[in-house]
Amino acid sequence: KELYTKQQNWKGLVKAYRLMLQRLPETTPKSEQVILWQELGGICQEKLKDARGAIVAFEVAAKLDPTDEARQENLAMLYTAAGPDAYEKAVLANQRLLQHNPLRLEAYAELRRLYGEMKRPDAEWCVAAVLSVLRMASDDEQALYKRWRVAKPRRVARKLGDDLWSA
């Protein structure tokens, strides 16, 4: 590792990491595997500017250790930067971030933006509604929420009978 780093031979270092990971015995502790995958992802992302390689490495690290919020945040950013084909994964990564911290404003804002670009207005409105209820909505989000919000609940047209309950 030191030799490749000293020579700034990042492609060689990535190749060495991949070979090392392939040769790991099955008894290698998960924590050590996570460190190697995380380092590989960091090299791909920072030194080689290889988003795909970074995503693959960070995904493996995230499967081995799903509790690392910083990794999830980085994955969400990488997925978003990867473009429309990776937006579904970006949505899932932001949702995982919200599971750890439900008041994470950046994740809500990113979800609203992603849903807008994915042409999913219902989901976009729901995120705007959450932000409005939390009193964290921007002016645009507040306007979106108010535009489609129902002022009064609909009146019941008829009673729910047994036939409707069993359907």
PDB file of all heavy atoms in Angstrom, residues 68-96:
ATOM      1  N   ASP A  68     -23.250   2.517   9.305  1.00  0.00           N
ATOM      2  CA  ASP A  68     -22.390   3.688   9.109  1.00  0.00           C
ATOM      3  C   ASP A  68     -23.127   4.766   8.315  1.00  0.00           C
ATOM      4  O   ASP A  68     -23.320   4.650   7.106  1.00  0.00           O
ATOM      5  CB  ASP A  68     -21.110   3.270   8.380  1.00  0.00           C
ATOM      6  CG  ASP A  68     -20.084   4.370   8.323  1.00  0.00           C
ATOM      7  OD1 ASP A  68     -20.455   5.537   8.061  1.00  0.00           O
ATOM      8  OD2 ASP A  68     -18.897   4.072   8.535  1.00  0.00           O
ATOM      9  N   GLU A  69     -23.550   5.829   9.002  1.00  0.00           N
ATOM     10  CA  GLU A  69     -24.320   6.911   8.363  1.00  0.00           C
ATOM     11  C   GLU A  69     -23.500   7.684   7.339  1.00  0.00           C
ATOM     12  O   GLU A  69     -24.016   8.088   6.296  1.00  0.00           O
ATOM     13  CB  GLU A  69     -24.864   7.879   9.409  1.00  0.00           C
ATOM     14  CG  GLU A  69     -26.121   7.400  10.074  1.00  0.00           C
ATOM     15  CD  GLU A  69     -26.752   8.484  10.934  1.00  0.00           C
ATOM     16  OE1 GLU A  69     -27.161   9.517  10.389  1.00  0.00           O
ATOM     17  OE2 GLU A  69     -26.829   8.267  12.156  1.00  0.00           O
ATOM     18  N   ALA A  70     -22.237   7.917   7.627  1.00  0.00           N
ATOM     19  CA  ALA A  70     -21.384   8.676   6.700  1.00  0.00           C
ATOM     20  C   ALA A  70     -21.266   7.938   5.369  1.00  0.00           C
ATOM     21  O   ALA A  70     -21.300   8.562   4.300  1.00  0.00           O
ATOM     22  CB  ALA A  70     -20.009   8.912   7.310  1.00  0.00           C
ATOM     23  N   ARG A  71     -21.156   6.613   5.422  1.00  0.00           N
ATOM     24  CA  ARG A  71     -21.078   5.828   4.190  1.00  0.00           C
ATOM     25  C   ARG A  71     -22.388   5.917   3.420  1.00  0.00           C
ATOM     26  O   ARG A  71     -22.402   6.067   2.200  1.00  0.00           O
ATOM     27  CB  ARG A  71     -20.738   4.370   4.507  1.00  0.00           C
ATOM     28  CG  ARG A  71     -20.517   3.537   3.255  1.00  0.00           C
ATOM     29  CD  ARG A  71     -20.199   2.076   3.545  1.00  0.00           C
ATOM     30  NE  ARG A  71     -19.112   1.922   4.485  1.00  0.00           N
ATOM     31  CZ  ARG A  71     -19.254   1.403   5.705  1.00  0.00           C
ATOM     32  NH1 ARG A  71     -20.431   0.988   6.124  1.00  0.00           N
ATOM     33  NH2 ARG A  71     -18.223   1.283   6.513  1.00  0.00           N
ATOM     34  N   GLN A  72     -23.522   5.826   4.137  1.00  0.00           N
ATOM     35  CA  GLN A  72     -24.825   5.940   3.484  1.00  0.00           C
ATOM     36  C   GLN A  72     -24.985   7.310   2.826  1.00  0.00           C
ATOM     37  O   GLN A  72     -25.509   7.419   1.717  1.00  0.00           O
ATOM     38  CB  GLN A  72     -25.956   5.716   4.489  1.00  0.00           C
ATOM     39  CG  GLN A  72     -26.177   4.277   4.868  1.00  0.00           C
ATOM     40  CD  GLN A  72     -26.550   3.392   3.694  1.00  0.00           C
ATOM     41  OE1 GLN A  72     -27.171   3.821   2.736  1.00  0.00           O
ATOM     42  NE2 GLN A  72     -26.149   2.147   3.768  1.00  0.00           N
ATOM     43  N   GLU A  73     -24.542   8.341   3.514  1.00  0.00           N
ATOM     44  CA  GLU A  73     -24.628   9.694   2.971  1.00  0.00           C
ATOM     45  C   GLU A  73     -23.774   9.818   1.709  1.00  0.00           C
ATOM     46  O   GLU A  73     -24.204  10.405   0.707  1.00  0.00           O
ATOM     47  CB  GLU A  73     -24.157  10.694   4.026  1.00  0.00           C
ATOM     48  CG  GLU A  73     -24.426  12.125   3.672  1.00  0.00           C
ATOM     49  CD  GLU A  73     -24.121  13.067   4.827  1.00  0.00           C
ATOM     50  OE1 GLU A  73     -24.034  12.614   5.986  1.00  0.00           O
ATOM     51  OE2 GLU A  73     -23.976  14.258   4.542  1.00  0.00           O
ATOM     52  N   ASN A  74     -22.583   9.248   1.745  1.00  0.00           N
ATOM     53  CA  ASN A  74     -21.695   9.274   0.585  1.00  0.00           C
ATOM     54  C   ASN A  74     -22.304   8.490  -0.574  1.00  0.00           C
ATOM     55  O   ASN A  74     -22.264   8.930  -1.730  1.00  0.00           O
ATOM     56  CB  ASN A  74     -20.331   8.717   0.973  1.00  0.00           C
ATOM     57  CG  ASN A  74     -19.273   8.992  -0.071  1.00  0.00           C
ATOM     58  OD1 ASN A  74     -19.378   9.940  -0.847  1.00  0.00           O
ATOM     59  ND2 ASN A  74     -18.249   8.180  -0.088  1.00  0.00           N
ATOM     60  N   LEU A  75     -22.882   7.327  -0.266  1.00  0.00           N
ATOM     61  CA  LEU A  75     -23.542   6.534  -1.319  1.00  0.00           C
ATOM     62  C   LEU A  75     -24.702   7.308  -1.941  1.00  0.00           C
ATOM     63  O   LEU A  75     -24.868   7.313  -3.164  1.00  0.00           O
ATOM     64  CB  LEU A  75     -24.046   5.206  -0.745  1.00  0.00           C
ATOM     65  CG  LEU A  75     -23.096   4.029  -0.843  1.00  0.00           C
ATOM     66  CD1 LEU A  75     -23.626   2.850  -0.036  1.00  0.00           C
ATOM     67  CD2 LEU A  75     -22.838   3.627  -2.270  1.00  0.00           C
ATOM     68  N   ALA A  76     -25.497   7.968  -1.111  1.00  0.00           N
ATOM     69  CA  ALA A  76     -26.619   8.749  -1.630  1.00  0.00           C
ATOM     70  C   ALA A  76     -26.121   9.825  -2.589  1.00  0.00           C
ATOM     71  O   ALA A  76     -26.692  10.030  -3.671  1.00  0.00           O
ATOM     72  CB  ALA A  76     -27.403   9.389  -0.485  1.00  0.00           C
ATOM     73  N   MET A  77     -25.035  10.481  -2.228  1.00  0.00           N
ATOM     74  CA  MET A  77     -24.464  11.520  -3.078  1.00  0.00           C
ATOM     75  C   MET A  77     -23.920  10.931  -4.386  1.00  0.00           C
ATOM     76  O   MET A  77     -24.135  11.475  -5.467  1.00  0.00           O
ATOM     77  CB  MET A  77     -23.350  12.240  -2.304  1.00  0.00           C
ATOM     78  CG  MET A  77     -22.751  13.447  -2.995  1.00  0.00           C
ATOM     79  SD  MET A  77     -21.267  13.149  -3.983  1.00  0.00           S
ATOM     80  CE  MET A  77     -20.234  12.186  -2.937  1.00  0.00           C
ATOM     81  N   LEU A  78     -23.242   9.792  -4.290  1.00  0.00           N
ATOM     82  CA  LEU A  78     -22.705   9.145  -5.490  1.00  0.00           C
ATOM     83  C   LEU A  78     -23.821   8.680  -6.428  1.00  0.00           C
ATOM     84  O   LEU A  78     -23.713   8.827  -7.647  1.00  0.00           O
ATOM     85  CB  LEU A  78     -21.816   7.959  -5.108  1.00  0.00           C
ATOM     86  CG  LEU A  78     -20.436   8.300  -4.558  1.00  0.00           C
ATOM     87  CD1 LEU A  78     -19.783   7.064  -3.939  1.00  0.00           C
ATOM     88  CD2 LEU A  78     -19.552   8.866  -5.657  1.00  0.00           C
ATOM     89  N   TYR A  79     -24.878   8.108  -5.857  1.00  0.00           N
ATOM     90  CA  TYR A  79     -26.008   7.673  -6.685  1.00  0.00           C
ATOM     91  C   TYR A  79     -26.637   8.862  -7.409  1.00  0.00           C
ATOM     92  O   TYR A  79     -26.958   8.785  -8.592  1.00  0.00           O
ATOM     93  CB  TYR A  79     -27.086   6.997  -5.829  1.00  0.00           C
ATOM     94  CG  TYR A  79     -26.722   5.648  -5.264  1.00  0.00           C
ATOM     95  CD1 TYR A  79     -27.116   5.306  -3.974  1.00  0.00           C
ATOM     96  CD2 TYR A  79     -26.021   4.699  -5.997  1.00  0.00           C
ATOM     97  CE1 TYR A  79     -26.815   4.060  -3.438  1.00  0.00           C
ATOM     98  CE2 TYR A  79     -25.712   3.457  -5.462  1.00  0.00           C
ATOM     99  CZ  TYR A  79     -26.116   3.148  -4.185  1.00  0.00           C
ATOM    100  OH  TYR A  79     -25.823   1.918  -3.660  1.00  0.00           O
ATOM    101  N   THR A  80     -26.825   9.956  -6.695  1.00  0.00           N
ATOM    102  CA  THR A  80     -27.424  11.143  -7.303  1.00  0.00           C
ATOM    103  C   THR A  80     -26.550  11.657  -8.434  1.00  0.00           C
ATOM    104  O   THR A  80     -27.035  11.996  -9.507  1.00  0.00           O
ATOM    105  CB  THR A  80     -27.637  12.240  -6.241  1.00  0.00           C
ATOM    106  OG1 THR A  80     -28.507  11.733  -5.230  1.00  0.00           O
ATOM    107  CG2 THR A  80     -28.266  13.475  -6.848  1.00  0.00           C
ATOM    108  N   ALA A  81     -25.249  11.693  -8.193  1.00  0.00           N
ATOM    109  CA  ALA A  81     -24.309  12.180  -9.210  1.00  0.00           C
ATOM    110  C   ALA A  81     -24.243  11.240 -10.410  1.00  0.00           C
ATOM    111  O   ALA A  81     -23.927  11.680 -11.524  1.00  0.00           O
ATOM    112  CB  ALA A  81     -22.924  12.353  -8.603  1.00  0.00           C
ATOM    113  N   ALA A  82     -24.562   9.965 -10.212  1.00  0.00           N
ATOM    114  CA  ALA A  82     -24.505   8.985 -11.296  1.00  0.00           C
ATOM    115  C   ALA A  82     -25.616   9.194 -12.323  1.00  0.00           C
ATOM    116  O   ALA A  82     -25.566   8.646 -13.417  1.00  0.00           O
ATOM    117  CB  ALA A  82     -24.561   7.569 -10.739  1.00  0.00           C
ATOM    118  N   GLY A  83     -26.634   9.963 -11.980  1.00  0.00           N
ATOM    119  CA  GLY A  83     -27.683  10.290 -12.935  1.00  0.00           C
ATOM    120  C   GLY A  83     -28.954   9.492 -12.749  1.00  0.00           C
ATOM    121  O   GLY A  83     -29.087   8.695 -11.815  1.00  0.00           O
ATOM    122  N   PRO A  84     -29.898   9.717 -13.664  1.00  0.00           N
ATOM    123  CA  PRO A  84     -31.250   9.137 -13.534  1.00  0.00           C
ATOM    124  C   PRO A  84     -31.300   7.621 -13.363  1.00  0.00           C
ATOM    125  O   PRO A  84     -32.202   7.115 -12.710  1.00  0.00           O
ATOM    126  CB  PRO A  84     -31.935   9.562 -14.834  1.00  0.00           C
ATOM    127  CG  PRO A  84     -31.210  10.797 -15.258  1.00  0.00           C
ATOM    128  CD  PRO A  84     -29.790  10.603 -14.816  1.00  0.00           C
ATOM    129  N   ASP A  85     -30.349   6.903 -13.922  1.00  0.00           N
ATOM    130  CA  ASP A  85     -30.377   5.442 -13.793  1.00  0.00           C
ATOM    131  C   ASP A  85     -30.169   4.984 -12.347  1.00  0.00           C
ATOM    132  O   ASP A  85     -30.560   3.875 -11.992  1.00  0.00           O
ATOM    133  CB  ASP A  85     -29.300   4.800 -14.675  1.00  0.00           C
ATOM    134  CG  ASP A  85     -29.627   4.933 -16.163  1.00  0.00           C
ATOM    135  OD1 ASP A  85     -30.801   5.205 -16.492  1.00  0.00           O
ATOM    136  OD2 ASP A  85     -28.701   4.775 -16.979  1.00  0.00           O
ATOM    137  N   ALA A  86     -29.555   5.835 -11.537  1.00  0.00           N
ATOM    138  CA  ALA A  86     -29.271   5.456 -10.141  1.00  0.00           C
ATOM    139  C   ALA A  86     -30.174   6.179  -9.147  1.00  0.00           C
ATOM    140  O   ALA A  86     -29.970   6.071  -7.938  1.00  0.00           O
ATOM    141  CB  ALA A  86     -27.808   5.749  -9.824  1.00  0.00           C
ATOM    142  N   TYR A  87     -31.191   6.894  -9.625  1.00  0.00           N
ATOM    143  CA  TYR A  87     -32.051   7.663  -8.718  1.00  0.00           C
ATOM    144  C   TYR A  87     -32.805   6.773  -7.733  1.00  0.00           C
ATOM    145  O   TYR A  87     -33.005   7.163  -6.588  1.00  0.00           O
ATOM    146  CB  TYR A  87     -33.034   8.539  -9.498  1.00  0.00           C
ATOM    147  CG  TYR A  87     -32.431   9.807 -10.047  1.00  0.00           C
ATOM    148  CD1 TYR A  87     -33.181  10.640 -10.847  1.00  0.00           C
ATOM    149  CD2 TYR A  87     -31.120  10.187  -9.776  1.00  0.00           C
ATOM    150  CE1 TYR A  87     -32.640  11.822 -11.368  1.00  0.00           C
ATOM    151  CE2 TYR A  87     -30.582  11.344 -10.285  1.00  0.00           C
ATOM    152  CZ  TYR A  87     -31.339  12.161 -11.078  1.00  0.00           C
ATOM    153  OH  TYR A  87     -30.811  13.324 -11.577  1.00  0.00           O
ATOM    154  N   GLU A  88     -33.238   5.601  -8.155  1.00  0.00           N
ATOM    155  CA  GLU A  88     -33.944   4.703  -7.225  1.00  0.00           C
ATOM    156  C   GLU A  88     -33.045   4.332  -6.054  1.00  0.00           C
ATOM    157  O   GLU A  88     -33.488   4.307  -4.902  1.00  0.00           O
ATOM    158  CB  GLU A  88     -34.442   3.440  -7.935  1.00  0.00           C
ATOM    159  CG  GLU A  88     -35.680   3.637  -8.783  1.00  0.00           C
ATOM    160  CD  GLU A  88     -36.919   4.023  -7.977  1.00  0.00           C
ATOM    161  OE1 GLU A  88     -37.036   3.655  -6.793  1.00  0.00           O
ATOM    162  OE2 GLU A  88     -37.773   4.704  -8.554  1.00  0.00           O
ATOM    163  N   LYS A  89     -31.780   4.047  -6.351  1.00  0.00           N
ATOM    164  CA  LYS A  89     -30.839   3.728  -5.279  1.00  0.00           C
ATOM    165  C   LYS A  89     -30.587   4.956  -4.404  1.00  0.00           C
ATOM    166  O   LYS A  89     -30.406   4.822  -3.198  1.00  0.00           O
ATOM    167  CB  LYS A  89     -29.525   3.211  -5.859  1.00  0.00           C
ATOM    168  CG  LYS A  89     -29.622   1.802  -6.416  1.00  0.00           C
ATOM    169  CD  LYS A  89     -28.269   1.299  -6.861  1.00  0.00           C
ATOM    170  CE  LYS A  89     -28.349  -0.155  -7.290  1.00  0.00           C
ATOM    171  NZ  LYS A  89     -27.019  -0.679  -7.634  1.00  0.00           N
ATOM    172  N   ALA A  90     -30.572   6.135  -5.007  1.00  0.00           N
ATOM    173  CA  ALA A  90     -30.390   7.375  -4.231  1.00  0.00           C
ATOM    174  C   ALA A  90     -31.565   7.568  -3.281  1.00  0.00           C
ATOM    175  O   ALA A  90     -31.380   7.974  -2.123  1.00  0.00           O
ATOM    176  CB  ALA A  90     -30.253   8.572  -5.168  1.00  0.00           C
ATOM    177  N   VAL A  91     -32.764   7.273  -3.750  1.00  0.00           N
ATOM    178  CA  VAL A  91     -33.954   7.380  -2.901  1.00  0.00           C
ATOM    179  C   VAL A  91     -33.835   6.423  -1.712  1.00  0.00           C
ATOM    180  O   VAL A  91     -34.059   6.805  -0.564  1.00  0.00           O
ATOM    181  CB  VAL A  91     -35.244   7.096  -3.718  1.00  0.00           C
ATOM    182  CG1 VAL A  91     -36.429   6.832  -2.802  1.00  0.00           C
ATOM    183  CG2 VAL A  91     -35.535   8.251  -4.666  1.00  0.00           C
ATOM    184  N   LEU A  92     -33.462   5.181  -1.979  1.00  0.00           N
ATOM    185  CA  LEU A  92     -33.330   4.194  -0.898  1.00  0.00           C
ATOM    186  C   LEU A  92     -32.248   4.599   0.104  1.00  0.00           C
ATOM    187  O   LEU A  92     -32.428   4.446   1.314  1.00  0.00           O
ATOM    188  CB  LEU A  92     -33.019   2.814  -1.482  1.00  0.00           C
ATOM    189  CG  LEU A  92     -34.145   2.163  -2.278  1.00  0.00           C
ATOM    190  CD1 LEU A  92     -33.663   0.888  -2.956  1.00  0.00           C
ATOM    191  CD2 LEU A  92     -35.343   1.878  -1.388  1.00  0.00           C
ATOM    192  N   ALA A  93     -31.138   5.133  -0.390  1.00  0.00           N
ATOM    193  CA  ALA A  93     -30.062   5.559   0.511  1.00  0.00           C
ATOM    194  C   ALA A  93     -30.534   6.713   1.393  1.00  0.00           C
ATOM    195  O   ALA A  93     -30.246   6.736   2.598  1.00  0.00           O
ATOM    196  CB  ALA A  93     -28.829   5.965  -0.297  1.00  0.00           C
ATOM    197  N   ASN A  94     -31.262   7.666   0.816  1.00  0.00           N
ATOM    198  CA  ASN A  94     -31.777   8.780   1.618  1.00  0.00           C
ATOM    199  C   ASN A  94     -32.827   8.301   2.619  1.00  0.00           C
ATOM    200  O   ASN A  94     -32.895   8.816   3.739  1.00  0.00           O
ATOM    201  CB  ASN A  94     -32.342   9.878   0.716  1.00  0.00           C
ATOM    202  CG  ASN A  94     -31.254  10.773   0.182  1.00  0.00           C
ATOM    203  OD1 ASN A  94     -30.652  11.534   0.926  1.00  0.00           O
ATOM    204  ND2 ASN A  94     -30.975  10.674  -1.108  1.00  0.00           N
ATOM    205  N   GLN A  95     -33.628   7.327   2.247  1.00  0.00           N
ATOM    206  CA  GLN A  95     -34.605   6.769   3.178  1.00  0.00           C
ATOM    207  C   GLN A  95     -33.906   6.066   4.343  1.00  0.00           C
ATOM    208  O   GLN A  95     -34.345   6.167   5.491  1.00  0.00           O
ATOM    209  CB  GLN A  95     -35.556   5.815   2.458  1.00  0.00           C
ATOM    210  CG  GLN A  95     -36.521   6.531   1.550  1.00  0.00           C
ATOM    211  CD  GLN A  95     -37.353   5.588   0.695  1.00  0.00           C
ATOM    212  OE1 GLN A  95     -37.018   4.415   0.512  1.00  0.00           O
ATOM    213  NE2 GLN A  95     -38.442   6.098   0.151  1.00  0.00           N
ATOM    214  N   ARG A  96     -32.806   5.364   4.061  1.00  0.00           N
ATOM    215  CA  ARG A  96     -32.039   4.732   5.146  1.00  0.00           C
ATOM    216  C   ARG A  96     -31.456   5.794   6.078  1.00  0.00           C
ATOM    217  O   ARG A  96     -31.427   5.605   7.297  1.00  0.00           O
ATOM    218  CB  ARG A  96     -30.928   3.847   4.575  1.00  0.00           C
ATOM    219  CG  ARG A  96     -31.427   2.500   4.070  1.00  0.00           C
ATOM    220  CD  ARG A  96     -30.294   1.563   3.737  1.00  0.00           C
ATOM    221  NE  ARG A  96     -29.499   2.003   2.611  1.00  0.00           N
ATOM    222  CZ  ARG A  96     -29.757   1.700   1.339  1.00  0.00           C
ATOM    223  NH1 ARG A  96     -30.791   0.951   1.031  1.00  0.00           N
ATOM    224  NH2 ARG A  96     -28.966   2.135   0.382  1.00  0.00           N
TER     225      ARG A  96
END
